[in-house]
Amino acid sequence: MAGSGSISSIEIGPVRVTVESDSSWIHRSLRSEFGPFITGSGAGLRLRVTTFGEPDASCEGGIQVRRRGEELTASRGDLKLRLGMNGGAGEASILEGSLPGVRVALRFAFTVRGLCVGAILLHAAATRFRDRGWVFPGRSGAGKTTLMRRLASHRKLTDETALIARHDGRWRVFATPFGGDFGLPEEPDSAPVDAIMFIEKDLRSELRQIDRLEAVYRILQHTMGWGLEDRCGRVLDLATELTEACESFVLRLSLDADPEPLIGKRFNANLSL
């Protein structure tokens, strides 16, 4: 998996992926899609990237993910990816012009590298309020982006994908470039995790505390990489450690509910200040 070319390093908290490519389009795309997260060169997963000119008809449809020994492979019409499961190196070939192909390749790379260094990517929104980090895992359509719009007093870290890792002795939630409607954050940001609130749509609104066993089960449902066979134990260990360090809740919200009074009451915080 060795190669040479120009280098762009992308860093989310303690997780770094360094892209090597001779393609100027790849590096322009990385600046466009990951700009605030690009840093100087350094250690991490080294991903060698090339481009191709026509979609691969043999890989039409959804993405196909396979394990081959110590390698993870993923393919679809605009992408062919190969990653070492030790998080050290990988190769990708991306259809020139396909920004979704770039994002998918980097998402896989950060998932694999993250698990190697004790970090997990969650399908979750996240905010920072008065140096507290609040994480809101939810399936697609559960209302993550809507919730972010309603938490007007919070600093938004992400409305789609959050990275959580132990950093300087504490679990922290980090903004990521893998956002939804809110797009790319203006700058990297993070906060110590104070609570995890699994969001669900309902006819009535409530915030209900749950025990650690239920919290671990729910985290696994939203963790990228949970299905990577021999990484299941690693994900389970990280989820268990995380839920031991903070409280977990189910946050049910009706269509027109204002979540700030509900959350503020539980945490003794006036969110309007």
Side-chain angles (χ1 to χ4, degrees), residues 94-125:
I94 300 171
L95 176 67
E96 185 156 347
S98 175
L99 291 178
V102 174
R103 289 192 291 268
V104 169
L106 269 294
R107 191 187 296 259
F108 270 99
F110 271 97
T111 297
V112 170
R113 179 63 183 175
L115 291 177
C116 292
V117 299
I120 54 178
L121 278 176
L122 282 180
H123 291 288

Side-chain angles (χ1 to χ4, degrees), residues 36 41 57 62 71 74 89 111 117 148 161 170 183 190 192 197 213-214 221 239 243 245 249 252 260-261 263 265 268:
S41 60
E71 288 186 343
T111 297
V117 299
M148 292 300 95
T161 305
R170 300 187 66 179
S190 70
M197 303 177 217
L213 185 61
E214 181 179 351
Q221 292 179 312
T243 56
F249 303 83
R252 292 194 173 97
E260 294 207 350
I263 297 173
K265 182 179 180 181
N268 298 314

Side-chain angles (χ1 to χ4, degrees), residues 23-248:
S23 167
S24 59
W25 174 79
I26 288 292
H27 293 289
R28 288 197 305 271
S29 300
L30 293 175
R31 289 192 295 272
S32 169
E33 298 295 302
F34 301 91
F37 297 86
I38 293 179
T39 66
S41 60
L45 187 151
R46 300 188 73 86
L47 185 66
R48 175 66 182 164
V49 180
T50 57
T51 60
F52 59 95
E54 297 292 335
D56 187 346
S58 67
C59 298
E60 291 181 351
I63 193 162
Q64 301 174 14
V65 182
R66 296 185 177 89
R67 281 290 305 277
R68 295 179 177 175
E70 291 303 310
E71 288 186 343
L72 172 74
T73 65
S75 60
R76 67 182 190 187
D78 62 346
L79 169 68
K80 293 182 180 179
L81 176 68
R82 192 160 59 97
L83 295 171
M85 290 303 295
N86 63 359
E91 293 178 349
S93 185
I94 300 171
L95 176 67
E96 185 156 347
S98 175
L99 291 178
V102 174
R103 289 192 291 268
V104 169
L106 269 294
R107 191 187 296 259
F108 270 99
F110 271 97
T111 297
V112 170
R113 179 63 183 175
L115 291 177
C116 292
V117 299
I120 54 178
L121 278 176
L122 282 180
H123 291 288
T127 66
R128 178 167 61 82
F129 178 78
R130 296 182 186 171
D131 294 325
R132 296 179 177 185
W134 290 348
V135 183
F136 303 93
R139 297 183 183 278
S140 179
K144 296 189 294 294
T145 299
T146 300
L147 177 64
M148 292 300 95
R149 292 194 179 103
R150 292 177 180 175
L151 291 174
S153 60
H154 289 220
R155 181 177 177 85
K156 281 69 174 176
L157 299 181
T158 177
D159 66 334
E160 181 61 32
T161 305
L163 185 139
I164 301 179
R166 187 178 291 279
H167 187 68
D168 292 334
R170 300 187 66 179
W171 284 96
R172 298 187 70 90
V173 55
F174 294 85
T176 77
F178 305 113
D181 290 355
F182 279 81
L184 189 66
E186 293 182 2
E187 61 182 3
D189 197 3
S190 70
V193 178
D194 191 57
I196 302 170
M197 303 177 217
F198 300 91
I199 59 175
E200 298 176 353
K201 290 180 179 178
D202 208 326
L203 296 177
R204 61 189 178 89
S205 298
E206 69 168 354
L207 184 65
R208 174 177 64 87
Q209 189 165 6
I210 58 177
D211 61 32
R212 286 202 294 267
L213 185 61
E214 181 179 351
V216 169
Y217 172 75
R218 286 175 174 267
I219 285 176
L220 296 179
Q221 292 179 312
H222 299 291
T223 299
M224 300 178 192
W226 167 237
L228 296 179
E229 297 178 2
D230 60 339
R231 292 299 182 268
C232 293
R234 179 62 166 156
V235 175
L236 180 59
D237 288 343
L238 293 172
T240 301
E241 292 175 17
L242 173 61
T243 56
E244 289 174 349
C246 64
E247 295 181 305
S248 299

